[in-house]
């Protein structure tokens, strides 16, 4: 993993600066968060966003003044204008490499859209733009994505992504496409074949929870996450396990009466079923 490589003091100071600017935290808080997340800025941001006490303090809620400028200049016309996309891109491009948005510019883009980095809407945005790597966005991905979505202003893009997020809750096919995209995207900043368990858990929460309420697709999500947290030797998730968990979540009953241990389920899911049955049995005995 790139996050495990040795990080120089200069790089650490730059990451601390980026995290402080984005999340509005102190230098000590930024340093502690980065140290706990292998000096990977994206993971540190995710840790802050998952911290409910931080969210309640309004952390990271400030918006770039550029958003007001874009909103007021948005055209009332619904016609797609490619020139507007080029102009929009120019406001976020990396000054050292005009073919991409770097992490800092991408985070500013997200704030101007009035989202948080941990929102499912951002995952949907990356999916619709076919973003190939976390923490950056290529110009071709941005322009092709905006053209596919027929959005040439921040307001249009925000509204379209919000609509897609609502659609995902009831459209199983769209959800399946988003879910399939997420595994490769989530491990794109590493050289690992599998996905580390902590990022996997964060993305499962993002995918299966909407408006702080678990979707009906996976009623056992909390128990699944608890199982993984208690399984200290589980360090990564394979692509096979990731894919089949979606099938498991949508086809297997909560009492596991239709679960076939001799089926082609990954060992991790087999172990989870035994764990869940034990937990359910204990719960039943307590309620007697």
């Amino acid at each position: 993993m790139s996050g495990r490589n040795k990080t120089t003091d200069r790089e650490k100071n730059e990451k601390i600066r980026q995290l402080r600017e984005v999340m509005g935290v102190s230098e000590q808080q930024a340093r502690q968060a980065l140290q706990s997340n292998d000096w990977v800025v994206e993971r540190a941001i995710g840790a802050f966003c998952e911290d409910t006490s931080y969210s309640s303090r309004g952390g990271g809620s400030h918006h770039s003044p550029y958003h007001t400028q874009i909103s007021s200049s948005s055209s009332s016309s619904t016609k797609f204008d490619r020139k507007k996309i080029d102009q929009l891109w120019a406001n976020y491009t990396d000054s050292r490499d005009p073919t991409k948005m770097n992490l800092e510019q991408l985070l500013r883009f997200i704030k101007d859209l009035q989202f948080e980095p941990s929102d499912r809407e951002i995952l949907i945005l990356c999916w619709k733009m076919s973003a190939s790597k976390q923490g950056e966005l290529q110009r071709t991905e941005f322009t092709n994505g905006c053209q596919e979505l027929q959005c040439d202003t921040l307001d249009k893009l925000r509204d379209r992504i919000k609509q897609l997020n609502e659609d995902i809750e009831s459209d199983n096919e769209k959800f399946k496409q988003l879910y399939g995209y997420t595994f490769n995207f989530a491990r794109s900043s590493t050289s690992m074949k599998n996905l580390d368990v902590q990022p996997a858990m964060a993305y499962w929460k993002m995918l299966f929870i909407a408006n702080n309420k678990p979707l009906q697709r996976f009623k056992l999500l909390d128990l699944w996450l608890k199982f993984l947290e208690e399984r200290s030797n589980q360090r990564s998730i394979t692509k096979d396990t990731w894919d089949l968990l979606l099938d498991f979540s949508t086809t297997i009953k909560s009492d596991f009466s239709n679960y076939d241990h001799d089926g082609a389920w990954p060992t991790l899911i087999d172990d989870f079923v035994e764990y869940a049955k034990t937990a359910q049995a204990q719960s039943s005995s307590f309620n007697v």
Side-chain angles (χ1 to χ4, degrees):
M1 278 184 69
S2 59
R4 292 176 184 158
N5 294 335
K6 186 176 180 180
T7 305
T8 66
D9 289 341
R10 183 176 179 180
E11 290 171 333
K12 288 179 179 179
N13 288 335
E14 175 61 19
K15 290 174 185 289
I16 289 171
R17 185 193 68 77
Q18 289 181 358
L19 189 58
R20 290 188 67 190
E21 180 179 341
V22 172
M23 304 307 296
V25 296
S26 69
E27 180 177 350
Q28 182 180 1
Q29 288 174 313
R31 184 180 293 277
Q32 289 176 344
L34 286 163
Q35 287 175 338
S36 300
N37 289 278
D38 295 328
W39 291 93
V40 179
V41 176
E42 297 92 331
R43 286 170 55 181
I45 291 172
F48 272 119
C49 292
E50 288 182 7
D51 184 345
T52 55
S53 64
Y54 172 76
S55 298
S56 66
R57 294 193 301 269
S61 63
H62 55 286
H63 296 287
S64 165
Y66 179 68
H67 171 256
T68 304
Q69 176 185 343
I70 290 295
S71 298
S72 62
S73 62
S74 296
S75 172
S76 59
S77 172
T78 58
K79 184 178 179 181
F80 178 78
D81 187 343
R82 176 60 184 265
K83 290 182 179 180
K84 287 184 179 180
I85 291 301
D86 293 337
Q87 292 169 358
L88 191 58
W89 172 262
N91 285 286
Y92 296 100
T93 186
D94 186 339
S95 59
R96 294 164 297 182
D97 184 355
T99 66
K100 72 176 184 180
M101 281 187 204
N102 62 23
L103 176 61
E104 184 176 1
Q105 301 304 327
L106 181 59
L107 291 172
R108 183 163 65 90
F109 176 55
I110 290 171
K111 283 196 286 184
D112 288 347
L113 283 169
Q114 298 182 344
F115 295 130
E116 296 292 342
S118 62
D119 290 343
R120 189 173 65 179
E121 286 91 340
I122 298 306
L123 182 60
I124 292 173
L125 175 69
C126 293
W127 165 51
K128 297 309 292 183
M129 291 190 171
S130 300
S132 57
K133 187 177 181 180
Q134 289 188 94
E136 67 179 47
L137 193 60
Q138 300 295 323
R139 179 168 187 166
T140 53
E141 295 169 346
F142 178 83
T143 53
N144 291 342
C146 287
Q147 187 160 357
E148 179 186 343
L149 294 169
Q150 288 293 287
C151 295
D152 53 17
T153 68
L154 285 177
D155 287 339
K156 290 179 184 177
L157 191 56
R158 182 189 311 110
D159 291 344
R160 183 73 178 104
I161 295 302
K162 284 183 176 180
Q163 183 59 56
L164 284 169
N165 189 46
E166 292 180 8
D167 294 345
I168 287 292
E169 296 188 30
S170 58
D171 191 322
N172 291 331
E173 183 56 35
K174 285 183 180 177
F175 183 85
K176 184 176 180 179
Q177 292 173 13
L178 174 64
Y179 186 90
Y181 163 83
T182 301
F183 182 87
N184 287 332
F185 178 71
R187 65 182 182 88
S188 61
S189 59
T190 77
S191 58
M192 305 292 288
K193 179 180 179 181
N194 298 330
L195 178 60
D196 281 2
V197 69
Q198 291 300 323
M201 291 170 66
Y203 275 106
W204 273 319
K205 290 178 184 178
M206 186 184 298
L207 285 161
F208 285 111
I209 297 177
N211 300 320
N212 296 319
K213 295 180 180 179
L215 300 181
Q216 292 302 307
R217 287 190 180 91
F218 195 8
K219 296 179 180 179
L220 296 170
L221 175 64
D222 287 343
L223 193 58
W224 168 253
L225 296 175
K226 185 173 183 290
F227 163 72
L228 291 176
E229 287 173 352
E230 295 178 6
R231 195 179 174 95
S232 59
N233 64 338
Q234 189 67 41
R235 302 193 178 192
S236 64
I237 301 296
T238 66
K239 181 69 161 61
D240 186 50
T241 297
W242 178 273
D243 289 343
L244 288 176
L245 185 71
L246 180 60
D247 293 339
F248 176 88
S249 70
T250 57
T251 61
I252 301 303
K253 297 179 180 179
S254 297
D255 62 359
F256 308 107
S257 57
N258 63 335
Y259 184 80
D260 182 6
H261 276 281
D262 296 324
W265 297 106
T267 301
L268 184 62
I269 293 182
D270 282 336
D271 292 347
F272 168 65
V273 171
E274 292 305 312
Y275 172 90
K277 285 182 176 179
T278 300
Q280 289 176 349
Q282 291 175 345
S283 177
S284 297
S285 64
F286 288 146
N287 292 330
V288 173

